Amino acid sequence: MKCRNRHFTLIFINKKHSILTTILAIESSCDDTSAAVLQDEILLSNVTAGQEVHKKYGGVVPELASRAHQANIVPVVDAALKDAGVKISDIDAIAFTRGPGLLGSLLVGVSFAKGFALANNIPMIEVNHLDGHVAALFLKEKGVPHRDPAFPFLTLLVSGGHTQIIKVNGYFEKEIIGETIDDAAGEAFDKTAKILGLPYPGGPLIDKYAKLGKPKRFSFSRPGVGDTDFSFSGLKTSILYFVRNEHAKNPDFVKENLYDICASVQYTIVDILLEKLKNAVKKTRIKEIAIAGGVSANSGLREQLIYEAEKNNWVLHIPDFKFTTDNAAMIGISAYWKYLKKEFAGQEVTAEARF
Ligand code: KG4
Ligand code: ZN
């Protein structure tokens, strides 16, 4: 109750003096500890600490991720406040990712937010991680030209945990047009990397090597799911068997053909993503198109999207690289819209792995 009373006072002061709303946001759903400070929709700082510890395991180890978040969260928040040039007493609300994600990772952010809210007598705002990825398309930075997507628009949300085509009708109104029935696109990149003996996360490395290879040298199996749905587990198996067979004939096959394998895998994944997106455009007749999530950093996907946008007269929204993979800035802007609606979380709020 205290929080709410203070909030109403703040709203009153804000209106009277037109002061901007300052939000501190925390993101800790997977293996990035991130903190950001925003004033309304303008980003003042965004600090992220990655976790090298998972590299050798070929994927995120939940227990290690949770421990690393605990070690990183205070220094990351401290750096975000310093970068933004704000004091703790300037913060009007604290936002956090409630889910989906790894429970032990989410708990660190949720607990930090609870403590921070209590200690400073400010409201808490819970954010869905996937809403955050879409909200990233609206982030603004001082001196950087920006154009918001116009509603309704389609977003291809491609990350390590999710692959969806979403029709975004408003800040809080979304419809899922299609999604993966098994692996996410990011997982397809990461699992391929593991098969090839590359460290986690594999996406950025495959992207780098793909630039040096021939995209049509090898072909892999395509999923047979619905028009706008995705399936990547068959592709992963097809890559695994292909590499195993070739390795049996020539133990140096991967080493000798790494760039061509990466280029061919990336070409296949991007082609599947684009095919489904084009089907969604046909179905909805919406030509305002955006991409979001870690895989939207992929250079092959970006190039192909730009090509299709020109060919089909799409209005395209591609986020800045730093807003594609997990970051707290996207949590902050999503929270700002909830702040305007006075949608606050209570101290009883829990982290939700499947939110
Ligand atoms: O959005 P994100 O940081 O975390 C999740 O919410 O899952 O996405 C991480 C995923 C990983 O699978 C990573 O390999 C992939 O994004 N990724 C990329 C690239 N950069 C990150 N995949 C392909 N190409 C990239 N350049
Ligand atoms: Zn994410």
Side-chain angles (χ1 to χ4, degrees):
M1 251 352 252
K2 258 186 181 173
C3 294
R4 286 176 185 260
N5 288 342
R6 160 129 200 243
H7 167 63
F8 288 132
T9 323
L10 265 171
I11 292 280
F12 175 66
I13 294 168
N14 283 358
K15 280 203 172 141
K16 205 167 157 191
H17 300 293
S18 321
I19 299 169
L20 299 170
T21 302
T22 307
I23 291 180
L24 169 66
I26 308 292
E27 153 61 33
S28 70
S29 65
C30 191
D31 60 339
D32 290 307
T33 320
S34 186
V37 177
L38 288 89
Q39 267 174 347
D40 290 0
E41 292 186 347
I42 302 185
L43 182 65
L44 299 187
S45 67
N46 185 41
V47 177
T48 304
Q51 302 180 357
E52 295 286 310
V53 66
H54 310 289
K55 254 188 171 155
K56 59 178 181 236
Y57 297 103
V60 178
V61 184
E63 169 71 25
L64 298 179
S66 172
R67 284 192 218 180
H69 281 304
Q70 279 220 304
N72 292 341
I73 193 143
V74 170
V76 162
V77 168
D78 198 41
L81 292 172
K82 281 202 181 102
D83 277 9
V86 301
K87 300 185 292 296
I88 288 180
S89 56
D90 297 326
I91 305 294
D92 295 316
I94 179 151
F96 61 95
T97 305
R98 186 175 174 200
L102 300 171
L103 196 63
S105 291
L106 290 164
L107 277 172
V108 177
V110 175
S111 307
F112 181 90
K114 285 186 182 185
F116 193 94
L118 261 185
N120 298 291
N121 199 20
I122 54 171
M124 279 190 292
I125 304 167
E126 63 174 66
V127 173
N128 179 303
H129 182 79
L130 303 180
D131 284 342
H133 274 301
V134 177
L137 292 156
F138 293 84
L139 280 165
K140 292 142 192 90
E141 291 176 283
K142 280 181 190 149
V144 180
H146 175 84
R147 189 171 45 136
D148 282 344
F151 300 119
F153 63 93
L154 292 181
T155 304
L156 174 67
L157 171 54
V158 272
S159 72
H162 298 85
T163 298
Q164 295 179 330
I165 299 174
I166 308 165
K167 180 170 171 243
V168 186
N169 299 320
Y171 294 128
F172 300 99
E173 274 172 64
K174 298 190 180 99
E175 279 171 61
I176 296 173
I177 304 290
E179 63 187 328
T180 182
I181 59 161
D182 42 53
D183 288 353
E187 270 178 295
F189 276 103
D190 297 337
K191 288 179 177 174
T192 302
K194 197 173 176 182
I195 294 168
L196 299 177
L198 301 173
Y200 175 87
L205 266 184
I206 291 185
D207 190 354
K208 186 174 154 192
Y209 296 149
K211 289 190 181 117
L212 307 166
K214 297 187 196 79
K216 293 193 180 165
R217 167 108 188 268
F218 306 114
S219 56
F220 304 102
S221 78
R222 303 292 184 113
V225 284
D227 282 359
T228 51
D229 285 330
F230 303 88
S231 166
F232 288 106
S233 73
L235 173 65
K236 173 197 66 192
T237 313
S238 147
I239 296 165
L240 178 66
Y241 288 160
F242 164 76
V243 170
R244 250 193 219 162
N245 286 342
E246 295 300 330
H247 183 264
K249 289 183 251 167
N250 169 15
D252 288 330
F253 176 77
V254 169
K255 211 162 77 188
E256 288 168 6
N257 297 281
L258 185 61
Y259 297 159
D260 289 347
I261 301 172
C262 289
S264 302
V265 168
Q266 179 168 299
Y267 173 81
T268 310
I269 296 173
V270 169
D271 204 44
I272 294 168
L273 293 175
L274 260 297
E275 182 197 327
K276 303 301 175 144
L277 183 60
K278 282 193 276 185
N279 289 342
V281 170
K282 224 183 254 169
K283 199 165 162 178
T284 59
R285 294 165 189 239
I286 293 173
K287 289 194 163 198
E288 187 98 11
I289 310 293
I291 47 169
V295 180
S296 71
N298 185 268
S299 58
L301 177 59
R302 286 172 173 238
E303 266 167 34
Q304 232 6 71
L305 261 173
I306 291 168
Y307 170 78
E308 291 293 343
E310 275 172 14
K311 199 168 117 192
N312 300 298
N313 288 322
W314 296 350
V315 179
L316 194 57
H317 300 269
I318 298 185
D320 191 290
F321 282 108
K322 61 180 178 289
F323 303 138
T324 56
T325 46
D326 291 348
N327 65 85
M330 68 187 200
I331 302 304
I333 187 158
S334 197
Y336 170 65
W337 301 327
K338 285 193 169 184
Y339 184 93
L340 296 178
K341 292 203 305 173
K342 305 183 184 88
E343 223 180 281
F344 301 132
Q347 278 287 329
E348 70 288 350
V349 69
T350 52
E352 295 293 338
R354 295 175 182 275
F355 194 25

